[in-house]
C-alpha cells in the first residue's frame, strides 16, 4: 500500500499543478550539467552549484541518451527512488520496532514536508538522501546479527561513497557507520573483525577525500570557501533553528517517545525542569528575537523558496495555523531533549548505550539496540556535518539538508518509546493515539508544503510561456529563478550575488543579462499598462498567487 500511495503524492501534486516536466528550485543547474555531459561527453563543473552531483549525473545520463531531454521522466525516477527508500526503511525498522512504530517512522520520513516537495525533482539532496538511507539500512543489517555480515557491510560502504559523489554532506553516512561498528561490535567480536569493519569505512572515507580533491580541483568547481570571520550570533541562530526544524520533522516519532520523556521527568525532576525552561527560552528567542523559528527554503510561512521570483513574496499560510506548527516544533523539541537525556543518563549509569531500556528478550534487545544505535548515530552525524559545514564555509543552512537525519532520529526515538511501553503498558494506547494524531497533522503539513511548491513552480513556468506568447523571446524573459537559468545558453559566471533593483540573483549569474520582460509577484503599485502577461494560481488551502510579467522594452539592451 505504501509503495502505491507515495508515488501518487509525490507525482500527483506537481502533475496537477503543471510542475511536472519543468525545472524546480536548484535543479535547473543540474539539468544543464547533465545535458552538457550527454551532448559533449565531458563533465563541466558549475560555479553556482555547490554539490558535486557527479554520482547523480552518471546514472541519469543513459536515460537522457535514450529519451532525450525528458525532465518529467527524471522526476518520475526520483519519486520512485524515494518510494523505494521508504519501503526499505520500513522493512528494516519493522524488524526491531514492530509494525506500528515502524509505520510511524516510515511515514515520518516519507511524508516529511521537505521530501514531499522535492521527491519529484532532480535535486541532489534527493539522490544523496536516498543512497544514505540505503547505506545505513545495509549497515544496520550487517551489524545487527551475532556475526558481522561482510557482504552487507561492503554494500553499505559503496552506497555511502556513491551518496558522497552526489552531495558531500553524505559523508555523514560513512562516518556514522564506522562509529556504529566500533560502538556495537567492540565487545562481542574479535578485535580483527572490528578493525576490519572500521578499515572498510576508513577506506571509503579515504576515497571520499580523494574524490573531493579531484572535484574541487576542476575549473569553476563552485566549492564554498572558508569564512574569514564567522558571526557567532548568526551561527548560534542557525543551530537553534536546525534543532527546531529537525524536531518538527520527527514530531510523529517523538510522540512515541513521550512515555520515555515523561518517565525521565518523574525520576529527575530538576533536570527535566531545567531542560524544559531551556527549550522554552530557545523557542521564544528564535521565534521573537530572530527572523524566525525554523530554517527556511521549504517549510516557511511564505511557502517554499518564495524568493525565486522578483517582488516581495506574500504570506501564503494562515498565521494562526503556522503558530500551531511552531508550537508542535517546540513540544517535539522538548520530548527529543528529555528522551536524549534519559538515554544518556541510563547509558552512563549502566556503562552502555540504552536506547531501548525495556525488559525485552535478549535476541530482540541485541537486534533492536544495535540497529537503533546505527540509526541514531547517523541522525546525529547528519546534524553535526550540516552544522560544521555552516560554521566552516559560507554555505547557507537550509531545512532540506536535515531530511537525511529524519529516518535515523525517528527510529531511535521510536525505539526509546518501545522501551517505555514495556515499562508502562497501560500508556501504550495513549501514546499511539497521540502519534496517530501528530502523524495526521504531519501529513497535512506535507501536502500543504508540496502543493505550495508545485503551485508556485507551475505558475512561474506558465507566466514564462504566456510572456513568450506575447512576443518576448524566452531567453529575454525573467519568469523566475528556474525559467531564467534553463533558458540561458551561456555559461554561469563567478559574478553571482551582485544584486540591485534591476538585477536579481539569478540574472546576475550570467554576464550581460538581457531582461526585456520581468516576472514578479503582483503588488498594487504595478502600472497596469506595463503588464504583458498574468497568471493566477490557487493552492488547495485557498491562497491565490497573482504573478505578472512587466514590459521592460525601454531598458538597456532591449529594443
Amino acid at each position: 500500500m505504501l509503495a502505491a500511495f507515495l508515488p501518487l503524492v509525490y507525482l500527483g501534486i506537481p502533475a496537477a499543478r503543471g510542475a511536472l516536466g519543468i525545472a524546480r528550485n536548484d535543479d535547473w543547474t543540474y539539468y544543464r550539467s547533465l545535458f552538457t555531459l550527454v551532448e559533449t561527453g565531458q563533465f563541466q563543473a558549475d560555479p553556482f552549484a555547490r554539490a558535486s552531483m557527479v554520482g547523480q549525473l552518471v546514472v541519469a545520463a543513459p536515460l537522457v541518451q535514450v529519451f532525450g531531454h525528458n525532465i518529467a521522466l527524471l522526476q518520475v525516477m526520483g519519486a520512485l527512488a524515494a518510494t523505494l527508500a521508504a519501503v526499505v526503511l520500513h522493512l528494516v525498522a519493522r524488524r526491531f520496532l514492530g509494525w506500528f512504530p515502524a509505520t510511524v517512522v516510515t511515514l515520518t520520513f516519507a511524508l516529511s514536508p521537505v521530501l514531499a516537495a522535492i521527491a519529484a525533482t532532480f535535486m541532489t539532496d534527493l539522490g544523496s538522501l536516498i543512497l544514505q538511507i540505503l547505506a545505513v539500512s545495509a549497515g544496520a543489517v550487517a551489524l545487527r546479527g551475532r556475526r558481522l555480515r561482510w557482504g552487507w557491510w561492503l554494500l553499505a560502504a559503496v552506497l555511502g561513497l556513491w551518496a558522497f559523489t552526489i552531495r558531500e554532506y553524505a559523508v555523514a553516512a560513512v562516518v556514522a557507520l564506522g562509529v556504529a561498528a566500533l560502538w556495537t561490535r567492540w565487545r562481542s567480536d574479535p578485535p580483527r573483525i572490528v578493525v576490519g569493519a572500521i578499515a572498510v569505512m576508513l577506506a571509503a572515507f579515504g576515497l571520499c577525500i580523494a574524490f573531493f580533491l579531484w572535484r574541487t580541483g576542476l575549473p569553476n568547481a563552485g566549492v564554498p570557501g572558508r569564512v574569514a570571520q564567522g558571526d557567532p550570533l548568526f551561527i548560534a541562530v542557525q543551530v537553534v533553528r536546525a534543532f527546531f526544524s529537525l524536531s518538527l520533522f520527527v514530531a510523529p516519532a517523538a510522540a512515541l517517545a513521550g512515555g520515555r520523556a515523561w518517565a525521565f521527568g518523574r525520576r529527575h525532576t530538576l533536570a527535566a525542569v531545567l531542560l524544559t525552561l531551556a527549550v522554552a527560552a530557545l523557542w521564544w528567542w528564535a521565534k521573537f528575537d530572530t527572523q524566525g523559528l525554523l530554517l527556511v527554503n521549504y517549510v516557511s510561512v511564505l511557502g517554499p523558496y518564495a524568493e525565486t521570483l522578483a517582488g516581495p513574496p506574500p504570506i501564503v499560510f494562515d498565521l494562526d495555523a503556522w503558530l500551531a506548527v511552531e508550537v508542535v516544533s517546540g513540544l517535539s523539541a522538548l520530548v527529543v531533549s528529555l528522551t536524549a537525556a534519559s538515554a544518556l543518563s541510563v547509558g552512563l549509569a549502566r556503562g552502555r548505550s540504552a536506547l531501548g531500556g525495556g525488559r525485552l528478550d535478549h535476541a530482540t534487545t541485541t537486534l533492536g539496540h544495535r540497529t537503533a544505535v546505527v540509526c541514531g548515530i547517523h541522525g546525529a552525524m547528519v546534524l553535526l556535518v550540516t552544522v560544521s559545514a555552516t560554521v566552516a564555509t559560507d554555505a547557507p543552512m537550509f531545512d532540506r539538508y536535515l531530511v537525511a537525519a529524519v529516518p535515523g532520529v525517528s527510529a531511535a526515538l521510536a525505539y526509546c518509546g518501545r522501551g517505555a511501553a514495556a515499562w508502562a503498558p497501560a500508556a501504550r494506547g495513549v501514546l499511539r493515539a497521540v502519534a496517530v494524531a501528530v502523524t495526521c497533522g504531519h501529513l497535512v503539513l506535507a501536502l500543504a508544503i508540496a502543493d505550495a511548491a508545485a503551485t508556485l513552480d507551475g505558475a512561474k513556468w506558465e507566466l514564462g510561456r504566456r510572456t513568450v506568447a506575447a512576443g518576448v523571446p524566452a531567453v529575454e524573459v525573467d519568469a523566475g529563478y528556474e525559467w531564467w537559468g534553463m533558458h540561458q545558453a551561456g555559461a554561469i559566471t563567478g559574478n553571482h550575488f551582485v544584486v540591485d533593483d534591476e538585477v536579481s540573483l539569478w540574472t546576475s549569474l550570467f554576464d550581460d543579462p538581457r531582461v526585456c520582460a520581468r516576472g514578479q509577484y503582483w503588488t498594487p503599485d504595478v502600472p497596469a499598462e506595463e503588464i504583458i502577461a498574468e497568471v493566477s494560481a490557487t493552492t488547495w488551502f485557498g491562497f491565490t498567487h497573482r504573478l505578472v510579467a512587466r514590459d521592460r522594452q525601454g531598458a538597456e539592451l532591449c529594443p
Side-chain angles (χ1 to χ4, degrees):
M1 180 180 294
L2 185 68
F5 171 70
L6 291 179
L8 293 177
V9 174
Y10 294 156
L11 297 171
I13 294 175
R17 296 302 188 183
L20 197 64
I22 65 174
R24 306 184 64 190
N25 202 356
D26 287 341
D27 70 1
W28 65 267
T29 186
Y30 308 134
Y31 289 129
R32 283 171 55 100
S33 297
L34 173 61
F35 299 153
T36 299
L37 174 64
V38 172
E39 292 166 1
T40 67
Q42 296 181 343
F43 171 71
Q44 296 183 4
D46 187 332
F48 181 62
R50 300 183 185 277
S52 63
M53 64 183 158
V54 175
Q56 183 162 308
L57 300 190
V58 296
V59 174
L63 294 175
V64 176
Q65 289 176 328
V66 175
F67 298 101
H69 294 188
N70 192 330
I71 292 177
L73 175 62
L74 297 173
Q75 292 172 331
V76 169
M77 296 301 293
L80 294 179
T83 302
L84 172 63
V87 171
V88 170
L89 173 63
H90 183 73
L91 293 175
V92 172
R94 191 173 61 184
R95 287 290 304 276
F96 75 102
L97 291 176
W99 181 85
F100 181 81
T103 300
V104 172
V105 168
T106 304
L107 292 177
T108 299
F109 161 71
L111 296 177
S112 162
V114 176
L115 182 60
I118 70 170
T121 71
F122 196 59
M123 296 286 284
T124 54
D125 306 82
L126 179 65
S128 174
L129 162 67
I130 292 167
L131 288 171
Q132 284 191 74
I133 292 174
L134 296 180
V136 173
S137 297
V141 172
L143 293 174
R144 70 188 183 189
R146 293 185 179 275
R147 299 178 62 183
L148 182 69
R149 300 177 182 180
W150 287 103
W152 286 102
W153 190 245
L154 293 173
L155 176 61
V158 171
L159 291 171
L161 175 60
W162 185 5
F164 182 86
T165 65
I166 296 176
R167 197 169 186 89
E168 291 85 346
Y169 286 114
V171 72
V174 175
V175 176
L177 288 171
V179 173
L182 178 63
W183 191 310
T184 61
R185 311 295 302 199
W186 72 279
R187 287 186 176 180
S188 60
D189 289 11
R192 60 183 178 81
I193 299 295
V194 179
V195 171
I198 296 175
V200 169
M201 291 305 159
L202 285 176
F205 184 74
L207 291 174
C208 288
I209 294 176
F211 174 85
F212 181 78
L213 294 176
W214 168 78
R215 174 65 175 83
T216 56
L218 295 175
N220 298 321
V223 176
R226 297 186 65 85
V227 174
Q229 291 183 344
D231 183 351
L233 179 60
F234 173 77
I235 293 171
V237 169
Q238 294 293 87
V239 171
V240 171
R241 287 178 179 167
F243 173 58
F244 284 110
S245 290
L246 181 58
S247 297
L248 175 65
F249 296 162
V250 301
L256 291 176
R260 181 67 173 263
W262 176 258
F264 175 79
R266 293 185 63 182
R267 291 194 305 270
H268 306 279
T269 305
L270 178 59
V273 169
L274 292 177
L275 268 177
T276 302
L277 292 176
V279 171
L282 288 174
W283 187 94
W284 187 271
W285 173 65
K287 168 68 177 171
F288 296 107
D289 290 343
T290 70
Q291 294 182 351
L293 179 72
L294 305 173
L295 292 176
V296 297
N297 198 215
Y298 279 85
V299 184
S300 167
V301 72
L302 302 177
Y305 43 90
E307 296 83 3
T308 53
L309 188 69
I315 295 175
V316 302
F317 293 109
D318 179 79
L319 292 179
D320 291 334
W322 198 255
L323 178 60
V325 170
E326 294 175 326
V327 169
V328 170
S329 173
L331 293 175
S332 179
L334 177 59
V335 173
V336 170
S337 300
L338 291 173
T339 304
S342 174
L344 180 62
S345 66
V346 174
L348 291 175
R350 296 181 179 178
R352 61 177 179 86
S353 174
L355 285 170
R359 296 178 179 176
L360 307 173
D361 63 272
H362 180 269
T364 305
T365 300
T366 301
L367 167 65
H369 174 71
R370 286 177 174 171
T371 309
V373 165
V374 174
C375 293
I377 289 176
H378 178 246
M381 197 60 64
V382 170
L383 188 60
L384 176 62
V385 169
T386 303
V387 171
S388 299
T390 300
V391 173
T393 73
D394 63 355
M397 190 189 301
F398 291 136
D399 52 12
R400 54 188 163 91
Y401 298 167
L402 301 177
V403 180
V406 170
V409 174
S410 297
L413 287 169
Y415 189 68
C416 289
R418 191 170 186 259
W423 297 337
R428 182 179 302 176
V430 175
L431 293 175
R432 290 192 169 191
V434 173
V436 168
V438 177
T439 302
C440 290
H442 197 67
L443 171 61
V444 171
L445 179 61
L447 294 177
I449 294 296
D451 182 69
T455 300
L456 180 60
D457 288 340
K460 287 186 293 184
W461 210 261
E462 180 61 23
L463 181 67
R465 292 194 183 106
R466 293 186 184 184
T467 306
V468 171
V472 183
V475 71
E476 298 176 1
V477 175
D478 173 9
Y481 176 55
E482 303 89 348
W483 175 283
W484 179 262
M486 283 295 290
H487 286 87
Q488 300 306 302
I492 295 176
T493 70
N495 299 323
H496 50 278
F497 301 122
V498 181
V499 183
D500 57 30
D501 292 338
E502 294 297 321
V503 180
S504 62
L505 180 150
W506 46 94
T507 58
S508 73
L509 296 175
F510 302 87
D511 284 337
D512 301 322
R514 182 185 177 113
V515 182
C516 297
R518 188 176 193 183
Q520 69 168 82
Y521 296 103
W522 178 85
T523 56
D525 60 345
V526 175
E529 62 273 13
E530 292 185 9
I531 299 177
I532 58 175
E534 182 174 349
V535 171
S536 293
T538 303
T539 63
W540 70 268
F541 48 87
F543 179 83
T544 299
H545 277 294
R546 184 180 177 187
L547 314 181
V548 297
R550 299 177 64 176
D551 186 0
R552 299 183 73 249
Q553 296 297 314
E556 185 180 359
L557 301 178
C558 294

